[in-house]
Amino acid sequence: MIGLLDDRNITQPDDVSHPIIPSSHHPLSLTGRSWILREADEKLVAALSQKYEIPDVVARILAGRGIGVAEAENFLSPSLKSSLPDPSHLLDMDAAAERIASAVVAGETMAIFGDYDVDGATSSALLMRYLRSLGAKPLVYIPDRMSEGYGPNTAALLGLKKSGATLVITVDCGTMAFEPLEAAHEAGLDVIVVDHHIGEARKPKAYAIVNPNRLDETSAHGQMAAVGVAFLVAVAVNRVLRASGYFTERKEPDLRQWLDLVALGTVCDVVPLTGINRAFVAQGLKVLAGRENLGLRTILDLATVQESPGVYACGFVVGPRINAGGRVGKADLGVRLLTCEDEAEALSLARELETHNAERKAIESMVLEEAQAMAEQMDGDCPLLVVAGKGWHPGVIGIVAGRLKERFHKPVAVIAVNDNVGKASARSVSGFDFGAAVIAAHASGLLLGGGGHAMAAGFSVETDKIAALAEFLQARMRSQGNPATGRKLTLDGTISIAGATPELITNLDCLGPFGQGNPSVRLVVRGTVNLRPEIVGEHHVKTLLIDRVSNARLSAIAFRVMGTKLGDALLATRGQIIDIAGQLRLQEWNGKKSVSLMIDDVANETMA
């Protein structure tokens, strides 16, 4: 059976107008989360289903997520034609495009200064490939995380000038680089900042600052990753060159060929997959499926990804490997692979990144164990977690912060201390803008530097100010309503095990791409028997669910939950009747398709 189910009788389909978990039953799951059903207007469901000829289940989820009839077409079929904004709406964009175009025509030496993460690597690779297609030969510089830290530095910029560069384009960095950009300006080096991180009221000395999150910016597209902004820069430069007649005797590049890079950077920077980002990823995944980029194809082949790569492959297969060079290896390995045109070189680079990624995992595991022990001592009423340790590798603290955020469902800052200075990465939850908090802390004199966006940030701090910083961040969060308290799990509906079919997943796939801002569809399986939960690997719990009515079975798994409330709850309810919430996944083995459930939460059975 395909469809959402009514709470009153698990064998009856279609009506979901009632709360998924009545407040008279369990208000909290076994992990302390409130389950909230997205309510759907029945008239809107009918209108969506009829106008777009989509199954009721898809229409119901669209309505529950606030997608009306007018917005549904772009949501179901996101395209650049309908979503791409005019690049000129961004402040300084026209000046930046004119300057880059003039440098191309004049044959100036340009340099790209990128960040060492995936967003920086894809932004750098995109502009490198674009400028090369125009006949330019840009230099590229990716700073070393350990010795140089984040963003432009004076020595690197002046070094690029010495190498012949007259124009430097910073990508995914530069908005807060006041002193280095001042030094570059005094040296006669033009710098264009292409960024998306939140800035201060003052701006660095630059030829142009293209950033939808400038404080004086009015753009409605602040959710873009830096690679999205870089793509708009390429569109703007192309337009200037076209108007000047540059393509009269030269083939104009088709910018769509690099949307795979835009999709990868957008997914990996965990920015909302809404609006233009949704179109970037949807169209970029189509390009990625063609595997035209040699570096990306080589990574996918080494990772034995045979199916058409999606958001998961970007975020958990390709992204970590591109990141590995900047975290524990050579910072420029990712950019070199993404711009490589030689098969032997691509294989060598991909294998080197594979080795660094394995090293990263080992280092991450050690840091995570120590950081988690600290966080557990702080948990409870503490709304925001700040943990610090000497000798922690700065290259893995961002991943560790993400792991701790998932475990404790709170904003987390992880600080690697060395020589009385800590370098930190922070990850947030919905409702708390960590980037803005870092800017405020810097303005208050608590930080040496820092920046970021709502869900992720980075900063540097003197060790004797860490305690004061923690108090500042926690007070700021409490003043904003402390979104980490009263944790909620938003659900799209209920389903029987018999209804969990490959056909249902095919129907649900049209609601993708899923990610930040457009979460995967979460459903509840009601009144199922938790037959045999067991530990698999070192950290996961797998079980088999059985429907009491139809005797249908569904395999389910929860990743990295050992030692957590969810893992304990799954193991403690062996043989019991439970409600279980999660995301359906389609698996294929030896030509046969099957459905499994990725578990998000578990509750005591509430059915009469």
Side-chain angles (χ1 to χ4, degrees), residues 1 3-7 9-11 16 20-21 26 29-30 35 37 489-501 504-505 508 521-531 543-557 570 573 576-585 595-607:
M1 176 176 59
L4 303 181
L5 302 179
D6 173 60
D7 289 74
N9 187 333
I10 200 165
T11 63
V16 290
I20 198 164
I21 299 295
H26 60 78
S29 70
L30 294 178
W35 289 8
L37 174 68
L489 182 65
T490 303
L491 302 162
D492 291 287
T494 60
I495 190 172
S496 71
I497 291 179
T501 64
L504 173 62
I505 295 178
L508 297 180
V521 175
R522 284 181 167 84
L523 302 170
V524 175
V525 179
R526 300 293 303 271
T528 181
V529 179
N530 183 16
L531 184 62
T543 189
L544 182 66
L545 307 176
I546 298 183
D547 190 298
R548 291 179 295 166
V549 177
S550 67
N551 204 36
R553 301 187 175 200
L554 179 65
S555 175
I557 189 168
L570 287 168
T573 55
Q576 296 181 23
I577 300 171
I578 60 171
D579 296 336
I580 195 159
Q583 308 163 49
L584 297 177
R585 290 289 185 268
V595 177
S596 63
L597 182 75
M598 291 182 61
I599 302 170
D600 289 317
D601 204 2
V602 60
N604 289 323
E605 192 268 336
T606 62
M607 300 298 295

Side-chain angles (χ1 to χ4, degrees), residues 156 236 503:
E503 291 78 13

Side-chain angles (χ1 to χ4, degrees), residues 164-243:
T166 56
L167 173 63
V168 173
I169 307 169
T170 73
V171 288
D172 198 25
C173 58
T175 296
M176 300 288 288
F178 299 103
E179 294 181 6
L181 267 61
E182 178 71 28
H185 175 73
E186 292 179 356
L189 180 63
D190 288 342
V191 178
I192 293 174
V193 174
V194 178
D195 200 0
H196 72 132
H197 292 100
I198 299 171
E200 295 181 353
R202 63 171 178 152
K203 296 184 287 292
K205 191 72 173 180
Y207 188 92
I209 302 173
V210 182
N211 183 344
N213 290 308
R214 281 173 48 163
L215 289 189
D216 57 346
E217 181 62 83
T218 60
S219 173
H221 301 282
Q223 83 273 29
M224 283 189 295
V227 70
V229 183
F231 185 83
L232 290 187
V233 169
V235 172
V237 174
N238 228 37
R239 185 165 58 189
V240 172
L241 291 173
R242 187 186 308 119

Side-chain angles (χ1 to χ4, degrees), residues 289-471:
R291 306 193 183 210
E292 293 298 323
N293 183 296
L294 176 60
L296 291 175
R297 181 169 73 245
T298 305
I299 288 181
L300 293 169
D301 288 346
L302 281 181
T304 64
V305 177
Q306 298 177 349
E307 69 276 10
S308 181
V311 170
Y312 180 87
C314 288
F316 296 96
V317 178
V318 180
R321 288 163 171 80
I322 296 295
N323 244 337
R327 293 191 184 281
V328 298
K330 299 175 184 176
D332 66 346
L333 286 177
V335 175
R336 288 169 57 192
L337 179 60
L338 293 176
T339 57
C340 181
E341 300 293 352
D342 180 82
E343 291 191 5
E345 182 184 2
L347 183 59
S348 176
L349 290 170
R351 284 175 173 168
E352 188 173 357
L353 284 171
E354 193 78 28
T355 299
H356 288 313
N357 194 44
E359 180 184 357
R360 184 270 304 170
K361 288 180 180 179
I363 297 172
E364 174 197 328
S365 179
M366 291 187 290
V367 175
L368 177 60
E369 183 177 356
E370 295 181 20
Q372 185 171 296
M374 294 181 186
E376 287 172 347
Q377 294 179 352
M378 299 170 58
D379 196 20
D381 294 332
C382 187
L384 181 149
L385 303 177
V386 178
V387 295
K390 291 184 178 180
W392 289 354
H393 197 297
V396 303
I397 55 176
I399 301 175
V400 171
R403 296 274 190 255
L404 295 182
K405 183 202 76 170
E406 292 174 4
R407 185 181 184 93
F408 296 99
H409 304 283
K410 297 179 178 181
V412 176
V414 179
I415 306 174
V417 176
N418 185 38
D419 294 334
N420 298 318
V421 174
K423 293 182 179 179
S425 283
R427 298 294 182 268
S428 194
V429 298
S430 179
F432 182 72
D433 189 330
F434 223 133
V438 166
I439 296 298
H442 184 236
S444 299
L446 291 171
L447 300 178
L448 296 172
H453 49 81
M455 301 304 291
F459 57 85
S460 56
V461 58
E462 294 172 322
T463 53
D464 59 2
K465 292 184 178 180
I466 291 177
L469 172 66
E471 292 180 3

